[in-house]
């Protein structure tokens, strides 16, 4: 009997798989897989009908009907990364904004509020918080998703967020072990390397994960990052790195980052990567978001992506590469996580009201840095968008700033590899001289294309104002402006108030 026809092995394999799917209703293949013991599913923006508040809870109920104990995850961090509010932008602050305010009670309250929203959707696992210490200012994928650039700051807020989420009745999954903060490559697009000495990784990047473990975090997500000091493989596939988690006292579920990301799919293959991840000590295989183009350039369906990983596990059992005992270990860990979420659901969860009213806009206002005179009458504004293309982690098409600022938007970015002088000149030709330009930027470190564009803008339109939604520059920018430490609907609303001269 082959693995694919052995009911016991089919159930074990299904029990370690966590796919995404297309559409706002459960496809037949997903319901069949749940009937065979599938661990659960991960929600992304395409699974949510923003116009129908009852749709997602009903979908969750249908999946639980198909398999009690199903794990339903959602990639919801607040700030730039939202699935529940993908259509309009998040109404929760970013991790960076919470880190700027640096009040752990506020961060815990944000976690409780996020948990409330997730529980209302019917999901029970939150792929948050980010424990990465963003030490590389040019990091293309972490940035304002991190609480900050020091281990101590990130650690205390990771612990507070984990505490709030889990007090709120959902399982937190801290990410991306052992750290994605010192990278210059987006693992959705390539394989990042961290070249720091091992001692520096230990001192500056691992402590926030230890803080999460000490706070009782239910799950940890691996990174598709090679830490050169630890070995030649991305952490997701490296038994030494995943062993470090267990050595640090973590007893919960180890969940892989999405296997459809180029760092795994393009380098190893999603199926082969899945086998290696289980052998390395991972428990739950996050297959990914089938709406992403990725290395397959969209030439696959949700069922294709699921079957590729499932069938690779079957084949590895058949040829002896993957011992059944490894699947049994992983499936037990996933079952323990399911038991954890069931107990949390029975207990209910703390409410933000028990902790005092949580005000996301207050956090954004307190985090905001205002440089110079930034009051701009609404009737005169034109938004000049110089920002880079959002990473696949963001995944939202929402652009809340134009609506909040009541302004036309001229999109110029991304500027990388383009003639900045020519592109900016062409854009300004179409903006009347009397208009006040509000330049949206998110990558303004010295030498960047956006930084060059700001210098040109200052010379051509000195009345312009900058709204920087990324990390602040290490030096002074050539125009007055705002550093917001995040991009979201609540951030856009606070920016609009500030540019209008309104104080809360």
């Amino acid at each position: 009997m082959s693995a694919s026809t052995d009911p016991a092995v089919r159930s074990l394999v299904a029990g370690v798989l966590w796919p995404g799917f297309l559409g706002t209703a459960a496809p037949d293949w997903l319901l069949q897989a749940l009937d065979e013991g599938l661990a659960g599913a991960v929600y992304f923006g395409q699974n949510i009908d923003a116009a129908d508040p009852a749709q997602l809870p009903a979908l969750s109920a249908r999946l639980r009907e198909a398999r009690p104990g199903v794990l339903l995850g959602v990639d919801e961090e607040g700030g730039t990364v939202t699935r529940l509010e993908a259509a309009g932008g998040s109404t929760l602050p970013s991790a960076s904004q919470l880190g700027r305010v640096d009040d752990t009670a506020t961060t815990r309250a944000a976690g409780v509020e996020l948990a409330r929203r997730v529980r209302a959707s019917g999901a029970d696992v939150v792929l948050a918080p980010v424990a990465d210490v963003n030490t590389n200012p040019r990091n293309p994928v972490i940035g304002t998703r991190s609480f900050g650039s020091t281990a101590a700051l990130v650690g205390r807020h990771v612990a507070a967020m984990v505490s709030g989420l889990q007090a709120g009745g959902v399982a937190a999954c801290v990410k991306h072990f052992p750290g994605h903060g010192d990278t210059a490559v987006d693992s959705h697009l390539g394989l990042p390397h961290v070249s720091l000495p091992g001692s520096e990784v230990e001192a500056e990047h691992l402590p926030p994960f230890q803080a999460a473990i000490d706070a009782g975090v239910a799950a940890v997500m691996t990174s598709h990052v090679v830490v050169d000091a630890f070995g030649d493989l991305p952490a997701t596939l490296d038994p030494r790195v995943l062993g470090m988690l267990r050595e640090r006292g973590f007893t919960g579920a180890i969940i892989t980052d999405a296997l459809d990301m180029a760092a795994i799919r393009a380098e190893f293959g999603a199926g082969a990567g899945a086998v290696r991840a289980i052998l390395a000590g991972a428990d739950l295989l996050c297959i990914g978001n089938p709406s992403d183009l990725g290395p397959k350039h969209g030439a696959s369906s949700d069922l294709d992506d699921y079957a590729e990983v499932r069938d690779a596990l079957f084949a590895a059992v058949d040829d002896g590469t993957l011992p059944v005992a490894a699947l049994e270990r992983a499936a037990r860990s996933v079952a323990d996580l399911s038991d954890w979420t069931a107990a949390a659901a029975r207990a209910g969860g703390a409410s933000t009201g028990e902790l005092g009213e949580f005000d996301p806009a207050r956090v954004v206002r307190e985090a905001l840095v205002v440089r110079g005179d930034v009051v701009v009458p609404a009737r005169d504004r034109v938004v000049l968008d110089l920002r880079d293309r959002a990473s696949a982690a963001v995944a939202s098409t929402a652009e809340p700033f134009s609506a909040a600022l009541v302004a036309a938007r001229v999109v110029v970015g991304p500027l990388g590899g383009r003639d900045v002088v020519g592109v900016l000149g062409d854009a300004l030709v179409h903006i009347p001289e009397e208009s006040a330009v509000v330049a949206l930027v998110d990558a303004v470190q010295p030498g960047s294309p956006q930084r060059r564009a700001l210098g040109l803008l200052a010379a051509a339109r000195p009345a312009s104002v900058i709204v920087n939604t990324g990390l602040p520059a290490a030096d002074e920018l050539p125009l007055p402006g705002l550093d917001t430490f995040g991009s979201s609907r609540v951030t856009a609303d606070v920016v609009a108030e500030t540019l209008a001269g309104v104080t809360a």
Side-chain angles (χ1 to χ4, degrees):
M1 181 182 294
S2 70
S4 63
T5 59
D6 183 331
V9 176
R10 288 188 68 89
S11 179
L12 283 173
V13 168
V16 301
L17 299 180
W18 216 28
F21 62 96
L22 298 172
T24 56
D28 289 342
W29 70 262
L30 180 61
L31 295 174
Q32 180 181 341
L34 287 169
D35 188 56
E36 294 179 351
L38 182 68
V42 183
Y43 291 142
F44 294 95
Q46 78 268 3
N47 303 126
I48 299 168
D49 181 354
D52 182 4
Q55 173 265 327
L56 188 57
L59 173 59
S60 299
R62 177 69 185 93
L63 297 180
R64 285 214 161 74
E65 178 187 348
R67 180 174 179 248
V70 65
L71 289 170
L72 299 178
V74 61
D75 196 11
E76 188 75 16
E77 300 172 11
T80 59
V81 177
T82 178
R83 304 301 188 254
L84 299 178
E85 297 183 289
S90 178
T91 54
L92 289 176
S94 70
S96 186
Q97 288 165 336
L98 288 165
R100 278 275 304 165
V101 173
D102 197 13
D103 177 359
T104 54
T106 295
T107 297
R108 187 177 189 277
V112 172
E113 172 59 17
L114 176 52
R116 183 194 65 77
R117 298 179 184 198
V118 170
R119 285 172 53 222
S121 79
D124 50 19
V125 182
V126 184
L127 302 184
V130 166
D132 305 311
V133 182
N134 199 87
T135 52
N136 186 340
R138 289 182 167 82
N139 194 317
V141 68
I142 302 300
T144 61
R145 298 168 63 197
S146 169
F147 290 107
S149 60
T150 67
L153 173 65
V154 174
R156 61 179 173 265
H157 287 280
V158 162
M161 180 61 73
V162 166
S163 173
L165 287 168
Q166 297 191 168
V170 299
C173 177
V174 71
K175 57 191 183 185
H176 309 80
F177 186 83
H180 208 316
D182 199 73
T183 57
V185 172
D186 182 348
S187 51
H188 294 87
L189 306 176
L191 180 59
H193 282 250
V194 170
S195 57
L196 300 173
S199 59
E200 190 169 339
V201 176
E202 291 272 0
E204 297 299 328
H205 294 275
L206 296 187
F209 294 97
Q210 187 65 58
I213 294 168
D214 294 344
V217 72
V220 174
M221 177 170 280
T222 65
S223 70
H224 303 329
V225 172
V226 178
V227 179
D228 294 333
F230 297 160
D232 300 327
L233 290 171
T236 299
L237 313 184
D238 192 328
R240 176 186 174 188
V241 176
L242 299 194
M244 291 167 62
L245 258 178
R246 300 304 188 195
E247 292 164 6
R248 288 175 169 269
F250 178 62
T251 59
I254 298 177
I255 302 177
T256 71
D257 207 346
L259 297 172
D260 66 352
M261 293 162 61
I264 299 298
R265 175 169 268 172
E267 296 285 335
F268 302 90
V275 173
R276 296 179 76 154
I278 293 291
L279 290 171
D283 301 314
L284 184 57
L285 302 171
C286 179
I287 295 174
N289 184 350
S291 71
D292 288 346
L293 293 179
K296 286 191 172 182
H297 304 290
S300 66
S301 69
D302 48 4
L303 175 55
D304 291 335
D305 288 350
Y306 169 70
E308 177 184 2
V309 173
R310 178 200 63 193
D311 293 350
L313 296 179
F314 288 154
V317 171
D318 283 336
D319 68 18
T321 304
L322 180 60
V324 171
L327 287 172
E328 290 172 337
R329 168 201 51 79
R332 280 195 301 272
S333 182
V334 175
D336 288 344
L337 179 59
S338 177
D339 289 344
W340 190 102
T341 61
R346 288 193 297 270
S351 69
T352 46
E354 295 171 32
L355 303 172
E357 191 64 31
F358 178 67
D359 182 357
R362 178 188 64 80
V363 175
V364 174
R365 290 187 196 101
E366 290 186 16
L368 192 69
V369 174
V370 180
R371 296 175 288 98
D373 182 5
V374 297
V375 175
V376 180
R379 66 181 181 278
D380 296 332
R381 297 178 194 148
V382 174
V383 172
L384 181 66
D385 196 340
L386 303 172
R387 293 174 295 177
D388 289 342
R389 185 173 291 109
S391 77
V394 174
S396 173
T397 57
E399 204 309 287
F401 284 93
S402 300
L405 298 178
V406 195
R409 176 176 171 234
V410 178
V411 179
V412 177
L415 295 172
R418 302 170 69 192
D419 172 14
V420 175
V421 175
V423 169
L424 188 66
D426 289 345
L428 292 178
V429 164
H430 300 288
I431 299 176
E433 289 282 348
E434 63 272 17
S435 295
V437 175
V438 178
L440 281 178
V441 293
D442 61 3
V444 293
Q445 299 306 315
S448 70
Q450 289 182 38
R451 183 59 174 271
R452 187 178 183 204
L454 290 178
L456 296 169
L457 180 63
R461 302 288 180 93
S464 300
V465 170
I466 298 167
V467 174
N468 176 23
T469 66
L471 296 175
D475 57 354
E476 188 174 348
L477 296 180
L479 289 163
L482 308 173
D483 289 321
T484 68
F485 296 86
S487 177
S488 62
R489 185 169 17 141
V490 64
T491 300
D493 290 342
V494 170
V495 166
E497 292 174 0
T498 306
L499 294 184
V502 176
T503 56

